[in-house]
Amino acid sequence: MKKLFLSIFALSLSLTAFANDNDSDFMSEEKLEEGFVTSYINRSIENAMLAEPAKAEEMKYGRAITGFVSAPKFGGYVIGRYQYSDQYGKKGGAGFNQRLVRFYVDGTILKDFAYRIQVQTNNDSFHMKDFFVEWKRYGFFKVKAGQFKRAFGFENPMNPWDISTGDYSLMTKYLTGHSDYLGADVKGSANGGRDLGIQIQGDFLPVGKDNHMLFHYQVMVSNGTGINTSDTDGKKDITATFQVQPIKGLFIGAFGWKGTFDAKDDAGKTVNHSRNRYAFGAKYDNAGYVFRTEYAHGQSDLGNCEAFYAVAGAPVNDWFKVSAQYQWANNEMKSQKQTILSVIPEFQIHKNLKLQLQYNFNNNNYGSEKHFNELWAELYFRF
C-alpha cells in the first residue's frame, strides 16, 4: 500500500508542468451554499467592504497587511426527519427527530488561503465539524491543515443535502469513519468521515474542449482518532486517492487508507490494532441526473468488512426527482450481513427547501426479524 501511495504522488508531481490554476472539477470537501437569510447577511458584508476606500497596500505577506481579504460567507441548514419502522421491538421507529443543524463560515485571505469553520448539533450534541486553512495558490499543489473530511470515498466528502438519499450508504458509514464497523469504543468511529491532520492535493492535465482536469490526487496524514481529539497511539494514518475524469462530470477513482487505533480488550488493557482499507468507485452528476457506485473493503486484526452501493437518480421535471439505491454490507467481524433496497422521491419546492421521502426494504441475517420495512420523511431547508 505504501508503494501505491508513493507511486501516485510521484506521478502527480511529474505531471504538474501540464497543470493550471483553474478551480478544481473534483470534490475534495463538502460544497456548501448560502440560504435565504444568510444571503442577505453575506451581501450586506460584501457591500460594506466595497464601500470602504481602497487602501494602497501591496499584496504581500506580513503582519501589517490588512487588505485583500474576501467577505466571509455565512451559511447554514437544517434537516428534520420522521422515521417509521415495522421491525419487531422498534415500537414503530424513531418518530420525529432532528437529524442535524449546521452553521458555517468560510472565505479567503490574500487570495491564496481559504478557510472554513463548521459546527453541528444533533439533538443535544453540539460539536465542531470542520476547521481548516488551505493554501491554494497552485491548482496542481494545494496544502490543507486542520480538521476535515478524509480522502476516502466519493460519497464521504459530499454534504447530506447533495447525496440524493436520506442518509449515507452503509459503505460510507462502516468504512469511512461515520459509524465504523469496528465498534463505538474505537476512537474516531463516529466522526462524519473526518480527522485532524494535513493534506496535499491537486488537479492537473486539462483536456477536451471544455478544458476539464483529467487527474486529481489527495494524500492526507492524520491522527487516526477522529474529530476534536488529539492522537492517542502516537502513530499516524495515511489516506489517499487518485481519480480520473475522462469526460466532464464522470469521475473514476481509487482510494487507500493505512493506519492503526487503540482499543481496550476484555481485560481493560489498551491494545493497538491495524486498520487498512481500499475502495474503488465512479460517479456522474449532471443536470439532476445522478449515478454513483462504490465498493470498499476494510481489514483489521479484529476482523474484516466489505460493502457496496449503487444509487441512480433522474429528474421528472424541475421540482420532482426520483432516485433508487441498492446496497449491501458484510461485517465479517460480527458475522452480520445487510442488504437494503430503497426508492427515494424528492420534491424541490425551492432552492432552499425540499422534501424527501424514502422507502427501505431491509434484509438482514441477524436480529429477531430478518426482513422489515422503513419509511422516512426528511425536510431540508437552508437559512
Side-chain angles (χ1 to χ4, degrees), residues 13-46:
L13 292 181
S14 68
L15 294 174
T16 53
F18 297 98
N20 62 27
D21 296 338
N22 294 339
D23 288 338
S24 171
D25 295 311
F26 298 85
M27 183 185 299
S28 60
E29 68 229 8
E30 294 183 332
K31 291 186 176 180
L32 304 172
E33 294 190 32
E34 61 189 9
F36 57 91
V37 174
T38 51
S39 64
Y40 288 104
I41 297 173
N42 295 332
R43 297 299 84 74
S44 298
I45 295 173
E46 290 172 359

mmCIF file of all heavy atoms in Angstrom, residues 13-46:
data_model
loop_
_atom_site.group_PDB
_atom_site.id
_atom_site.type_symbol
_atom_site.label_atom_id
_atom_site.label_comp_id
_atom_site.label_asym_id
_atom_site.label_seq_id
_atom_site.Cartn_x
_atom_site.Cartn_y
_atom_site.Cartn_z
ATOM 1 N N LEU A 13 3.421 14.604 -9.236
ATOM 2 C CA LEU A 13 4.439 15.647 -9.295
ATOM 3 C C LEU A 13 5.103 15.699 -10.667
ATOM 4 O O LEU A 13 5.463 16.770 -11.153
ATOM 5 C CB LEU A 13 5.487 15.426 -8.208
ATOM 6 C CG LEU A 13 5.009 15.614 -6.767
ATOM 7 C CD1 LEU A 13 6.172 15.390 -5.805
ATOM 8 C CD2 LEU A 13 4.430 16.998 -6.571
ATOM 9 N N SER A 14 5.274 14.562 -11.305
ATOM 10 C CA SER A 14 5.933 14.533 -12.597
ATOM 11 C C SER A 14 5.114 15.199 -13.688
ATOM 12 O O SER A 14 5.647 15.603 -14.714
ATOM 13 C CB SER A 14 6.238 13.087 -13.003
ATOM 14 O OG SER A 14 5.043 12.386 -13.265
ATOM 15 N N LEU A 15 3.783 15.330 -13.465
ATOM 16 C CA LEU A 15 2.910 15.891 -14.487
ATOM 17 C C LEU A 15 2.433 17.299 -14.171
ATOM 18 O O LEU A 15 1.587 17.838 -14.866
ATOM 19 C CB LEU A 15 1.685 14.975 -14.682
ATOM 20 C CG LEU A 15 1.992 13.594 -15.269
ATOM 21 C CD1 LEU A 15 0.729 12.744 -15.283
ATOM 22 C CD2 LEU A 15 2.564 13.687 -16.670
ATOM 23 N N THR A 16 2.965 17.914 -13.142
ATOM 24 C CA THR A 16 2.473 19.238 -12.766
ATOM 25 C C THR A 16 2.798 20.300 -13.806
ATOM 26 O O THR A 16 2.200 21.381 -13.793
ATOM 27 C CB THR A 16 3.076 19.670 -11.423
ATOM 28 O OG1 THR A 16 4.499 19.565 -11.471
ATOM 29 C CG2 THR A 16 2.539 18.827 -10.287
ATOM 30 N N ALA A 17 3.701 20.035 -14.699
ATOM 31 C CA ALA A 17 4.004 21.011 -15.745
ATOM 32 C C ALA A 17 2.809 21.262 -16.641
ATOM 33 O O ALA A 17 2.722 22.297 -17.304
ATOM 34 C CB ALA A 17 5.196 20.517 -16.583
ATOM 35 N N PHE A 18 1.873 20.326 -16.683
ATOM 36 C CA PHE A 18 0.701 20.467 -17.526
ATOM 37 C C PHE A 18 -0.454 21.152 -16.796
ATOM 38 O O PHE A 18 -1.509 21.340 -17.359
ATOM 39 C CB PHE A 18 0.216 19.089 -17.996
ATOM 40 C CG PHE A 18 1.224 18.384 -18.838
ATOM 41 C CD1 PHE A 18 2.065 17.422 -18.279
ATOM 42 C CD2 PHE A 18 1.345 18.660 -20.187
ATOM 43 C CE1 PHE A 18 2.985 16.760 -19.065
ATOM 44 C CE2 PHE A 18 2.271 17.995 -20.968
ATOM 45 C CZ PHE A 18 3.101 17.039 -20.406
ATOM 46 N N ALA A 19 -0.247 21.487 -15.529
ATOM 47 C CA ALA A 19 -1.351 21.982 -14.707
ATOM 48 C C ALA A 19 -1.571 23.473 -14.930
ATOM 49 O O ALA A 19 -0.702 24.194 -15.394
ATOM 50 C CB ALA A 19 -1.071 21.726 -13.225
ATOM 51 N N ASN A 20 -2.796 23.931 -14.573
ATOM 52 C CA ASN A 20 -3.059 25.356 -14.489
ATOM 53 C C ASN A 20 -3.734 25.652 -13.175
ATOM 54 O O ASN A 20 -3.918 24.770 -12.349
ATOM 55 C CB ASN A 20 -3.890 25.844 -15.687
ATOM 56 C CG ASN A 20 -5.254 25.181 -15.753
ATOM 57 O OD1 ASN A 20 -5.802 24.760 -14.733
ATOM 58 N ND2 ASN A 20 -5.803 25.106 -16.952
ATOM 59 N N ASP A 21 -4.106 26.893 -12.951
ATOM 60 C CA ASP A 21 -4.631 27.297 -11.653
ATOM 61 C C ASP A 21 -6.139 27.424 -11.644
ATOM 62 O O ASP A 21 -6.711 28.122 -10.822
ATOM 63 C CB ASP A 21 -4.005 28.647 -11.234
ATOM 64 C CG ASP A 21 -2.513 28.529 -11.024
ATOM 65 O OD1 ASP A 21 -2.047 27.414 -10.789
ATOM 66 O OD2 ASP A 21 -1.815 29.559 -11.117
ATOM 67 N N ASN A 22 -6.844 26.764 -12.578
ATOM 68 C CA ASN A 22 -8.296 26.808 -12.592
ATOM 69 C C ASN A 22 -8.865 26.125 -11.365
ATOM 70 O O ASN A 22 -8.226 25.274 -10.757
ATOM 71 C CB ASN A 22 -8.852 26.117 -13.853
ATOM 72 C CG ASN A 22 -8.474 26.864 -15.118
ATOM 73 O OD1 ASN A 22 -8.157 28.040 -15.073
ATOM 74 N ND2 ASN A 22 -8.517 26.169 -16.243
ATOM 75 N N ASP A 23 -10.094 26.495 -11.005
ATOM 76 C CA ASP A 23 -10.758 25.821 -9.900
ATOM 77 C C ASP A 23 -10.931 24.346 -10.223
ATOM 78 O O ASP A 23 -11.154 23.953 -11.362
ATOM 79 C CB ASP A 23 -12.134 26.445 -9.645
ATOM 80 C CG ASP A 23 -12.014 27.828 -9.027
ATOM 81 O OD1 ASP A 23 -10.960 28.104 -8.445
ATOM 82 O OD2 ASP A 23 -12.965 28.611 -9.156
ATOM 83 N N SER A 24 -10.863 23.537 -9.207
ATOM 84 C CA SER A 24 -10.910 22.092 -9.396
ATOM 85 C C SER A 24 -12.276 21.623 -9.865
ATOM 86 O O SER A 24 -13.304 22.130 -9.448
ATOM 87 C CB SER A 24 -10.566 21.401 -8.082
ATOM 88 O OG SER A 24 -10.797 20.025 -8.174
ATOM 89 N N ASP A 25 -12.285 20.639 -10.774
ATOM 90 C CA ASP A 25 -13.525 19.959 -11.145
ATOM 91 C C ASP A 25 -13.869 18.885 -10.126
ATOM 92 O O ASP A 25 -14.995 18.400 -10.093
ATOM 93 C CB ASP A 25 -13.377 19.291 -12.521
ATOM 94 C CG ASP A 25 -13.191 20.301 -13.632
ATOM 95 O OD1 ASP A 25 -13.966 21.267 -13.704
ATOM 96 O OD2 ASP A 25 -12.258 20.119 -14.412
ATOM 97 N N PHE A 26 -12.907 18.477 -9.334
ATOM 98 C CA PHE A 26 -13.071 17.370 -8.406
ATOM 99 C C PHE A 26 -13.534 17.881 -7.044
ATOM 100 O O PHE A 26 -13.253 19.014 -6.663
ATOM 101 C CB PHE A 26 -11.759 16.600 -8.246
ATOM 102 C CG PHE A 26 -11.269 15.966 -9.520
ATOM 103 C CD1 PHE A 26 -10.521 16.680 -10.429
ATOM 104 C CD2 PHE A 26 -11.563 14.640 -9.800
ATOM 105 C CE1 PHE A 26 -10.061 16.096 -11.600
ATOM 106 C CE2 PHE A 26 -11.103 14.040 -10.960
ATOM 107 C CZ PHE A 26 -10.352 14.779 -11.860
ATOM 108 N N MET A 27 -14.242 17.027 -6.309
ATOM 109 C CA MET A 27 -14.745 17.406 -4.994
ATOM 110 C C MET A 27 -13.833 16.850 -3.921
ATOM 111 O O MET A 27 -13.666 15.651 -3.784
ATOM 112 C CB MET A 27 -16.163 16.862 -4.799
ATOM 113 C CG MET A 27 -16.795 17.269 -3.472
ATOM 114 S SD MET A 27 -18.397 16.486 -3.207
ATOM 115 C CE MET A 27 -19.312 17.130 -4.602
ATOM 116 N N SER A 28 -13.222 17.748 -3.132
ATOM 117 C CA SER A 28 -12.352 17.312 -2.054
ATOM 118 C C SER A 28 -12.922 17.651 -0.681
ATOM 119 O O SER A 28 -12.376 17.239 0.324
ATOM 120 C CB SER A 28 -10.972 17.956 -2.203
ATOM 121 O OG SER A 28 -11.074 19.365 -2.165
ATOM 122 N N GLU A 29 -14.015 18.428 -0.652
ATOM 123 C CA GLU A 29 -14.678 18.719 0.603
ATOM 124 C C GLU A 29 -16.131 19.057 0.315
ATOM 125 O O GLU A 29 -16.533 19.173 -0.844
ATOM 126 C CB GLU A 29 -14.005 19.898 1.319
ATOM 127 C CG GLU A 29 -14.177 21.214 0.619
ATOM 128 C CD GLU A 29 -12.886 21.980 0.450
ATOM 129 O OE1 GLU A 29 -11.821 21.448 0.730
ATOM 130 O OE2 GLU A 29 -12.972 23.107 -0.012
ATOM 131 N N GLU A 30 -16.909 19.193 1.350
ATOM 132 C CA GLU A 30 -18.319 19.491 1.188
ATOM 133 C C GLU A 30 -18.518 20.817 0.453
ATOM 134 O O GLU A 30 -17.925 21.823 0.809
ATOM 135 C CB GLU A 30 -19.012 19.561 2.546
ATOM 136 C CG GLU A 30 -19.068 18.248 3.280
ATOM 137 C CD GLU A 30 -19.824 18.371 4.584
ATOM 138 O OE1 GLU A 30 -19.832 19.463 5.160
ATOM 139 O OE2 GLU A 30 -20.400 17.375 5.012
ATOM 140 N N LYS A 31 -19.381 20.794 -0.573
ATOM 141 C CA LYS A 31 -19.759 22.034 -1.244
ATOM 142 C C LYS A 31 -20.985 22.596 -0.535
ATOM 143 O O LYS A 31 -21.973 21.914 -0.344
ATOM 144 C CB LYS A 31 -20.063 21.772 -2.722
ATOM 145 C CG LYS A 31 -18.837 21.406 -3.541
ATOM 146 C CD LYS A 31 -19.160 21.291 -5.011
ATOM 147 C CE LYS A 31 -17.904 21.009 -5.822
ATOM 148 N NZ LYS A 31 -18.199 20.889 -7.267
ATOM 149 N N LEU A 32 -20.902 23.879 -0.156
ATOM 150 C CA LEU A 32 -21.949 24.493 0.641
ATOM 151 C C LEU A 32 -22.527 25.702 -0.078
ATOM 152 O O LEU A 32 -21.817 26.415 -0.781
ATOM 153 C CB LEU A 32 -21.387 24.920 2.000
ATOM 154 C CG LEU A 32 -20.722 23.802 2.821
ATOM 155 C CD1 LEU A 32 -20.045 24.388 4.048
ATOM 156 C CD2 LEU A 32 -21.740 22.755 3.229
ATOM 157 N N GLU A 33 -23.826 25.925 0.111
ATOM 158 C CA GLU A 33 -24.500 27.068 -0.474
ATOM 159 C C GLU A 33 -25.187 27.871 0.615
ATOM 160 O O GLU A 33 -25.639 27.326 1.616
ATOM 161 C CB GLU A 33 -25.536 26.622 -1.512
ATOM 162 C CG GLU A 33 -24.933 25.968 -2.742
ATOM 163 C CD GLU A 33 -25.964 25.755 -3.837
ATOM 164 O OE1 GLU A 33 -26.897 26.575 -3.943
ATOM 165 O OE2 GLU A 33 -25.833 24.770 -4.562
ATOM 166 N N GLU A 34 -25.285 29.187 0.394
ATOM 167 C CA GLU A 34 -25.927 30.052 1.370
ATOM 168 C C GLU A 34 -27.439 29.902 1.306
ATOM 169 O O GLU A 34 -28.001 29.488 0.296
ATOM 170 C CB GLU A 34 -25.538 31.508 1.123
ATOM 171 C CG GLU A 34 -25.957 32.018 -0.246
ATOM 172 C CD GLU A 34 -25.387 33.374 -0.572
ATOM 173 O OE1 GLU A 34 -24.538 33.861 0.186
ATOM 174 O OE2 GLU A 34 -25.780 33.949 -1.606
ATOM 175 N N GLY A 35 -28.115 30.254 2.392
ATOM 176 C CA GLY A 35 -29.560 30.183 2.460
ATOM 177 C C GLY A 35 -30.203 31.536 2.262
ATOM 178 O O GLY A 35 -29.536 32.535 1.970
ATOM 179 N N PHE A 36 -31.531 31.619 2.448
ATOM 180 C CA PHE A 36 -32.253 32.853 2.159
ATOM 181 C C PHE A 36 -31.978 33.939 3.199
ATOM 182 O O PHE A 36 -32.034 35.123 2.892
ATOM 183 C CB PHE A 36 -33.754 32.583 2.051
ATOM 184 C CG PHE A 36 -34.366 31.943 3.266
ATOM 185 C CD1 PHE A 36 -34.894 32.715 4.279
ATOM 186 C CD2 PHE A 36 -34.430 30.559 3.386
ATOM 187 C CE1 PHE A 36 -35.467 32.128 5.389
ATOM 188 C CE2 PHE A 36 -35.005 29.968 4.496
ATOM 189 C CZ PHE A 36 -35.521 30.752 5.512
ATOM 190 N N VAL A 37 -31.667 33.574 4.452
ATOM 191 C CA VAL A 37 -31.313 34.565 5.469
ATOM 192 C C VAL A 37 -29.844 34.948 5.356
ATOM 193 O O VAL A 37 -29.488 36.135 5.331
ATOM 194 C CB VAL A 37 -31.614 34.025 6.884
ATOM 195 C CG1 VAL A 37 -31.111 35.012 7.936
ATOM 196 C CG2 VAL A 37 -33.106 33.787 7.061
ATOM 197 N N THR A 38 -28.973 33.956 5.274
ATOM 198 C CA THR A 38 -27.529 34.232 5.230
ATOM 199 C C THR A 38 -27.124 34.950 3.943
ATOM 200 O O THR A 38 -26.104 35.630 3.914
ATOM 201 C CB THR A 38 -26.725 32.935 5.380
ATOM 202 O OG1 THR A 38 -27.199 31.959 4.445
ATOM 203 C CG2 THR A 38 -26.878 32.374 6.788
ATOM 204 N N SER A 39 -27.909 34.812 2.864
ATOM 205 C CA SER A 39 -27.594 35.541 1.637
ATOM 206 C C SER A 39 -27.661 37.047 1.872
ATOM 207 O O SER A 39 -26.834 37.806 1.351
ATOM 208 C CB SER A 39 -28.545 35.138 0.509
ATOM 209 O OG SER A 39 -29.878 35.500 0.802
ATOM 210 N N TYR A 40 -28.638 37.511 2.675
ATOM 211 C CA TYR A 40 -28.724 38.935 2.998
ATOM 212 C C TYR A 40 -27.544 39.374 3.857
ATOM 213 O O TYR A 40 -27.000 40.475 3.678
ATOM 214 C CB TYR A 40 -30.043 39.232 3.712
ATOM 215 C CG TYR A 40 -31.252 39.158 2.810
ATOM 216 C CD1 TYR A 40 -32.104 38.060 2.854
ATOM 217 C CD2 TYR A 40 -31.535 40.176 1.899
ATOM 218 C CE1 TYR A 40 -33.210 37.982 2.022
ATOM 219 C CE2 TYR A 40 -32.641 40.104 1.061
ATOM 220 C CZ TYR A 40 -33.477 38.999 1.124
ATOM 221 O OH TYR A 40 -34.561 38.921 0.293
ATOM 222 N N ILE A 41 -27.161 38.532 4.799
ATOM 223 C CA ILE A 41 -26.001 38.848 5.636
ATOM 224 C C ILE A 41 -24.743 38.958 4.777
ATOM 225 O O ILE A 41 -23.961 39.905 4.897
ATOM 226 C CB ILE A 41 -25.818 37.776 6.720
ATOM 227 C CG1 ILE A 41 -27.024 37.756 7.660
ATOM 228 C CG2 ILE A 41 -24.524 37.998 7.504
ATOM 229 C CD1 ILE A 41 -27.001 36.619 8.663
ATOM 230 N N ASN A 42 -24.559 38.000 3.876
ATOM 231 C CA ASN A 42 -23.365 37.986 3.035
ATOM 232 C C ASN A 42 -23.316 39.188 2.100
ATOM 233 O O ASN A 42 -22.259 39.799 1.915
ATOM 234 C CB ASN A 42 -23.314 36.687 2.233
ATOM 235 C CG ASN A 42 -23.142 35.465 3.110
ATOM 236 O OD1 ASN A 42 -22.568 35.548 4.194
ATOM 237 N ND2 ASN A 42 -23.634 34.323 2.662
ATOM 238 N N ARG A 43 -24.470 39.552 1.476
ATOM 239 C CA ARG A 43 -24.474 40.706 0.581
ATOM 240 C C ARG A 43 -24.205 41.992 1.359
ATOM 241 O O ARG A 43 -23.543 42.897 0.858
ATOM 242 C CB ARG A 43 -25.825 40.816 -0.122
ATOM 243 C CG ARG A 43 -26.225 39.682 -1.045
ATOM 244 C CD ARG A 43 -25.286 39.455 -2.218
ATOM 245 N NE ARG A 43 -24.161 38.626 -1.844
ATOM 246 C CZ ARG A 43 -24.261 37.303 -1.641
ATOM 247 N NH1 ARG A 43 -25.410 36.683 -1.753
ATOM 248 N NH2 ARG A 43 -23.188 36.607 -1.338
ATOM 249 N N SER A 44 -24.737 42.086 2.584
ATOM 250 C CA SER A 44 -24.505 43.287 3.396
ATOM 251 C C SER A 44 -23.026 43.452 3.720
ATOM 252 O O SER A 44 -22.485 44.567 3.657
ATOM 253 C CB SER A 44 -25.323 43.209 4.685
ATOM 254 O OG SER A 44 -26.709 43.167 4.407
ATOM 255 N N ILE A 45 -22.375 42.346 4.079
ATOM 256 C CA ILE A 45 -20.941 42.407 4.388
ATOM 257 C C ILE A 45 -20.147 42.782 3.146
ATOM 258 O O ILE A 45 -19.239 43.626 3.198
ATOM 259 C CB ILE A 45 -20.460 41.054 4.950
ATOM 260 C CG1 ILE A 45 -21.137 40.767 6.297
ATOM 261 C CG2 ILE A 45 -18.938 41.056 5.110
ATOM 262 C CD1 ILE A 45 -20.851 39.384 6.838
ATOM 263 N N GLU A 46 -20.480 42.179 2.010
ATOM 264 C CA GLU A 46 -19.780 42.484 0.761
ATOM 265 C C GLU A 46 -19.940 43.960 0.389
ATOM 266 O O GLU A 46 -18.974 44.626 -0.002
ATOM 267 C CB GLU A 46 -20.305 41.598 -0.364
ATOM 268 C CG GLU A 46 -19.909 40.139 -0.229
ATOM 269 C CD GLU A 46 -20.600 39.264 -1.257
ATOM 270 O OE1 GLU A 46 -21.397 39.791 -2.054
ATOM 271 O OE2 GLU A 46 -20.347 38.036 -1.251
#
